[in-house]
Amino acid sequence: QVHLVESGGGSAQAGDSMRLSCVASGLSFSSLTMAWFRQVPGKEREFVAGISWYPGRHAYADSVQGRVTISRDNAKNSAFLQMTMLKYEDTAVYYCAATEIVAVHKNADRYNWWGQGTQVTVSL
C-alpha cells in the first residue's frame, strides 16, 4: 500500500509559477513511477506529467509541454511538479498518482495509488 500526500497548491495569477510536491510512503519510492493528473468539475481526470522509476523516462501532456517540469527525489520519497507561465485553464485539482509499472502511462486506470488532491486556482 502506498500513501501519497500532495502539497503546494493555492492561488496564483496568470503568468506565475507554482511548485507542487508529493510525498510517498509505504513502498520503496525508487520502484514507483509517479505522475500528476488534474481534474475540473464535470470532466475526466487528465494526465499532466509522469516520471518513471527508470532513469530518463518522463512524459508530458501537450497542453503543458514546455511550461511544466516533473522531477523526483528518491532520497526524499518525493515527486515534484514545477509549473511556469500558469494559465487560467490550469485551474484544477491536481492529484499525485503512483504505479509500479515502469512505463509512464497517460491513462489514469494504470495507476494504483492516488493522493487526496490539491487545488490550484489561476486567476486572469
Side-chain angles (χ1 to χ4, degrees), residues 4 22-25 27-34 53 71-79:
L4 303 173
C22 174
V23 179
S25 60
L27 284 179
S28 174
F29 183 77
S30 59
S31 67
L32 296 174
T33 288
M34 304 298 296
W53 55 260
S71 61
R72 63 189 297 152
D73 186 337
N74 289 344
K76 296 182 178 180
N77 293 340
S78 296

Side-chain angles (χ1 to χ4, degrees), residues 18 29 32 35 38 43 57 60-62 66 72-73 85-86 93-95 98 111 121 124:
M18 184 178 290
F29 183 77
L32 296 174
R38 65 187 182 186
K43 292 190 176 182
R57 294 187 181 183
Y60 296 94
D62 291 342
R72 63 189 297 152
D73 186 337
M85 296 181 288
L86 284 168
V93 177
Y94 283 72
Y95 295 91
Y111 294 84
T121 302
L124 295 172

Side-chain angles (χ1 to χ4, degrees), residues 45-78:
R45 201 164 289 190
E46 174 192 28
F47 174 83
V48 177
I51 185 167
S52 174
W53 55 260
Y54 192 89
R57 294 187 181 183
H58 46 76
Y60 296 94
D62 291 342
S63 58
V64 302
Q65 184 76 44
R67 300 190 295 117
V68 165
T69 302
I70 188 169
S71 61
R72 63 189 297 152
D73 186 337
N74 289 344
K76 296 182 178 180
N77 293 340
S78 296

